[in-house]
Amino acid sequence: MTTTIPSLTLVRRIKAPPARVFAAWTRAEVLAQWFGPHHTKVEHAEVDARIGGGFRIRLIEDNGDRHEVGGRYIAIEPEREIAFTWAWASMPQRESRVTVRFRAVEGDTEITLTHDRFADAATATRHRRGWTESMQRLDAHFTTMETTP
């Protein structure tokens, strides 16, 4: 009997070149401007974007609840790919993996995000919503930057 380990893949086109989109993932001050579902904001972000380096992000929900996630970078190829482990501080034993690929497309960037090694399908479903909203916020971040004087 084969067991399928739940995963998710999202593809989104962002109206910015790969260098800028890559920086949005690897610079804490930029990541803090867009990361997380719509009902959250980043309270604190740390990023050491190098293989073996780590990241830690503390989110605060509109209702005041706080959540912290972190991990270690396992692959970094500037403007092309980053991969990192992912674990919520409340459940460090449930580590999963995120891979983000960046591809230049006519001056924009196509992002392919794969999050795999989930403990169960329900966790994958919750993360799909969170990543979908994060990608919407990332897109809005660049759209707003382009229209702001």
Side-chain angles (χ1 to χ4, degrees):
M1 181 169 113
T2 21
T3 304
T4 303
I5 298 172
S7 67
L8 66 88
T9 298
L10 301 171
V11 178
R12 183 147 190 131
R13 190 165 170 169
I14 305 293
K15 293 194 176 305
R20 290 182 60 209
V21 179
F22 184 83
W25 283 85
T26 57
R27 293 181 42 212
E29 68 277 10
V30 182
L31 184 100
Q33 295 173 23
W34 65 268
F35 187 87
H38 294 306
H39 66 284
T40 67
K41 69 177 182 177
V42 173
E43 185 175 58
H44 179 77
E46 297 173 19
V47 174
D48 182 9
R50 60 183 173 83
I51 294 176
F55 74 93
R56 184 142 317 277
I57 304 165
R58 189 170 50 248
L59 298 165
I60 183 166
E61 292 187 42
D62 292 343
N63 67 8
D65 288 349
R66 286 177 167 77
H67 307 280
E68 189 169 307
V69 67
R72 294 262 168 234
Y73 292 97
I74 52 180
I76 295 184
E77 197 175 334
E79 301 177 29
R80 296 184 58 125
E81 179 181 282
I82 56 175
F84 47 90
T85 61
W86 176 273
W88 293 99
S90 59
M91 293 183 285
Q93 72 282 6
R94 293 180 96 180
E95 187 177 88
S96 53
R97 179 183 61 192
V98 177
T99 303
V100 185
R101 291 186 175 89
F102 307 88
R103 185 171 74 90
V105 179
E106 300 171 358
D108 296 343
T109 303
E110 181 184 85
I111 296 176
T112 302
L113 181 143
T114 303
H115 193 155
D116 60 9
R117 301 182 182 173
F118 286 111
D120 53 54
T123 302
T125 298
R126 285 191 304 275
H127 280 78
R128 176 176 297 281
R129 185 182 130 245
W131 281 121
T132 297
E133 292 181 8
S134 284
M135 293 295 99
Q136 291 167 351
R137 290 179 71 181
L138 177 61
D139 188 35
H141 169 77
F142 284 106
T143 302
T144 301
M145 284 180 60
E146 295 302 320
T147 59
T148 304

